[in-house]
Amino acid sequence: MAEVAQVVNLKSLPEFKNEPWQDFSKAEVRRAMADALAKVRGEFGREYSLLVAGEWTKSGRTFESRNPSNPSQVIGVLQKATPELAAKAVEDAHAYFAEWRKVPAAQRAAMLLKAGDIVRKRKFEFIAWQVFEAGKTWPEADADVCEAIDFCEYYAREALRYDAPPAVPQFPGERDELRYTPLGVGVVIPPWNFPLAIMGGTTTSALVAGNTVVLKPASDTPVNAAKFVEVLLEAGFPPRAVNFIPGSGGEIGDLLVEHPKTRFISFTGSKEVGLRIVELAAKTQPGQIWIKRVIAEMGGKDAIIVDSECDLDAAVQGVLVSAFGFQGQKCSACSRAIVDQSLYDEFLEKLKAKTEAIRVGPAEDPENYMGPVINASARKKILDYIEIGKGEGRLVTGGKAIEHETGGYFIEPTIFADVDRGARIFQEEIFGPVLAVTKARDFGHALELANDSEYGLTGSVYTKNRDKIERAKDEFHVGNLYFNRKSTGAMVASHPFGGFNMSGTDSKAGGPDYLLQFLQAKSIGEVIA
Ligand code: NAP
């Protein structure tokens, strides 16, 4: 194990605070960002190995990660895990768990705090990797990196808290206690859209709780994950505690989920893959002696309600950034605006004007508000939905791909009005810059429309009416509900994140219940002699 002799305790740590965002309007911040982009560009094309059973390994099969703003640029070349290596990773993680679980929580937490500190010190560089690999604009990438640091800080504190649970009432004549103990091997399967925050948060929460991890990063953003694994090792996490096995989810996903030594799966991604994992994990395999836990955070079809009694300009702005920030590729993105009939036309007029002022282009250029979508097949899927939308609603603006000299996957921010609740673009997750706008008769109707979804992730309401706020708190069925603000941008600790219904298991990442999912409680009673 690398030297991290230090331990921390909860009382000596400052209270958790969210990592502050950069102010890119400042010349020195822009200069630092430009330097980081240049540095990272100099590392394009580097090869990254697999980390299996504590050894950097090559499989002999590689794949490339490319820049969605400019697909001719190879960000990195990754070794592709074979089924044999994936199985070896799970088996060694199982063997090493016996040692790792005995490392005191205070030491694991110290490692995680150190990891957060390393990312903090190299923040611009991590922002640059996301700009190039995920197509995030500077502020979007900054928010992701800050969230990743927040997860390190927050989960380190949570591991310490669970390590010292409050005393249970003592049964007469006994010494009684409740202890939290880790589970075993966690297979971590994150999406590409928060390449550091979700990948890092799902990996470190499992690790700091004392589990060993097999991380299969998303195939679109494996370099961000490789860089983070390097940070974990630098921070002192033993190489056998975290296996890094990039490769196709379709090819090795089933094996990882079905392996009898896999104890839990922490998945974030689409509903289709999430449900498949739930189903496969439910089937016990020969040699399996536990019921696998599945944490599955999945898609969304998030709505913003614009009520008759609201600040209309604020609502327009909130819908705009929620629908088109990071090209609409957030599970929390607003893809349905449900607008009271009394201000429907005015809302659309204002939103159209603001949307048409959005500049779309390569994410590295800070003048662009929107970058590319993640890859060619995502662009095709989104454009197919736009064609469907043309038959289901009135195209207000957008509706086309944007040809750019770089060949990036750019799409116009697109709005459809007069969309019926039964329409596919009202019901299905598109995961791109496409917004459906629907007219509501009144507030009750707006709530009914918002709840007309199999998903239940985020939702937001713009209203000044206190009674309507209280009613929505009770009736709007989503895991993350906001008032008079955008539907995106959940903050670690203040907005524990996770959805209802087909949006997932409501695990509430960044909240006080989260770590419990990677722990089991042991009740101990001892008769006092
Ligand atoms: P995805 O296609 O489901 O992929 C997610 C992860 O699953 C990737 O690592 C992928 O690997 C892997 N995978 C693919 N097939 C698999 C299989 N058969 N078994 C096991 N793993 C498999 O989703 P995505 O396109 O990356 O992400 C977008 C989706 O994530 C959207 O639906 C979005 O709403 C959702 N999301 C939800 C949350 C939340 O907190 N609720 C947050 C972010 C994103 P490959 O990359 O190799 O295919």
Side-chain angles (χ1 to χ4, degrees), residues 119-188:
V119 175
R120 185 180 289 117
K121 289 195 179 105
R122 290 167 48 195
K123 205 186 251 181
F124 286 103
E125 192 188 322
F126 274 100
I127 296 171
W129 281 114
Q130 282 199 43
V131 168
F132 286 126
E133 197 178 37
K136 284 201 178 187
T137 56
W138 295 12
E140 293 285 350
D142 178 36
D144 186 311
V145 173
C146 288
E147 188 178 356
I149 297 169
D150 284 352
F151 281 137
C152 293
E153 291 280 342
Y154 186 81
Y155 294 142
R157 286 168 175 76
E158 285 296 288
L160 295 171
R161 187 170 69 82
Y162 278 106
D163 189 48
V168 293
Q170 301 293 294
F171 189 74
E174 285 188 5
R175 197 176 292 118
D176 299 315
E177 62 173 304
L178 191 69
R179 266 187 203 182
Y180 291 99
T181 178
L183 295 171
V185 180
V187 166
V188 174

Side-chain angles (χ1 to χ4, degrees), residues 188-194 198 216-221 247-257 265 267-274 276-277 280 296-300 302 329-332 374 381 429 431 455 457 497-499 503-504 507 509:
V188 174
I189 306 180
W192 49 265
N193 71 333
F194 283 86
I198 294 183
K216 194 222 80 68
S219 295
D220 284 303
T221 52
S248 155
E251 212 173 291
I252 55 171
D254 288 2
L255 180 150
L256 292 169
V257 171
I265 299 108
F267 168 81
T268 310
S270 61
K271 181 188 84 175
E272 291 69 28
V273 175
R276 179 178 175 80
I277 289 174
L280 290 181
E297 293 310 312
M298 314 194 298
D302 310 305
Q329 301 172 115
K330 299 180 189 176
C331 51
S332 54
I374 191 67
K381 180 181 158 196
E429 187 182 45
F431 220 55
Y455 295 107
L457 190 46
F497 194 79
S503 289
S507 64

Side-chain angles (χ1 to χ4, degrees), residues 268-390:
T268 310
S270 61
K271 181 188 84 175
E272 291 69 28
V273 175
L275 292 182
R276 179 178 175 80
I277 289 174
V278 168
E279 195 175 335
L280 290 181
K283 192 164 174 1
T284 45
Q285 302 294 330
Q288 180 182 329
I289 59 164
W290 43 65
I291 300 168
K292 289 176 188 170
R293 280 196 198 167
V294 178
I295 295 97
E297 293 310 312
M298 314 194 298
K301 190 70 193 174
D302 310 305
I304 295 185
I305 293 178
V306 179
D307 176 48
S308 57
E309 302 174 80
C310 77
D311 174 339
L312 184 59
D313 290 328
V316 168
Q317 185 62 21
V319 169
L320 185 89
V321 301
S322 305
F324 302 127
F326 190 35
Q327 300 74 265
Q329 301 172 115
K330 299 180 189 176
C331 51
S332 54
C334 170
S335 53
R336 298 180 296 153
I338 297 169
V339 184
D340 190 273
Q341 57 180 349
S342 61
L343 30 74
Y344 186 78
D345 292 337
E346 198 184 346
F347 170 85
L348 273 174
E349 201 180 304
K350 289 188 170 198
L351 185 67
K352 178 177 190 287
K354 280 191 168 257
T355 303
E356 288 176 351
I358 286 178
R359 214 179 112 157
V360 186
E364 67 188 270
D365 178 350
E367 298 305 314
N368 292 326
Y369 178 77
M370 273 174 57
V373 298
I374 191 67
N375 56 34
S377 73
R379 181 172 61 175
K380 178 173 182 320
K381 180 181 158 196
I382 296 162
L383 291 173
D384 286 350
Y385 267 112
I386 288 175
E387 286 313 305
I388 293 168
K390 286 177 185 168

Side-chain angles (χ1 to χ4, degrees), residues 425-445:
I425 63 163
F426 189 93
Q427 293 292 343
E428 297 173 18
E429 187 182 45
I430 300 172
F431 220 55
V434 182
L435 175 73
V437 185
T438 302
K439 193 185 285 183
R441 287 189 303 274
D442 54 29
F443 193 67
H445 185 218

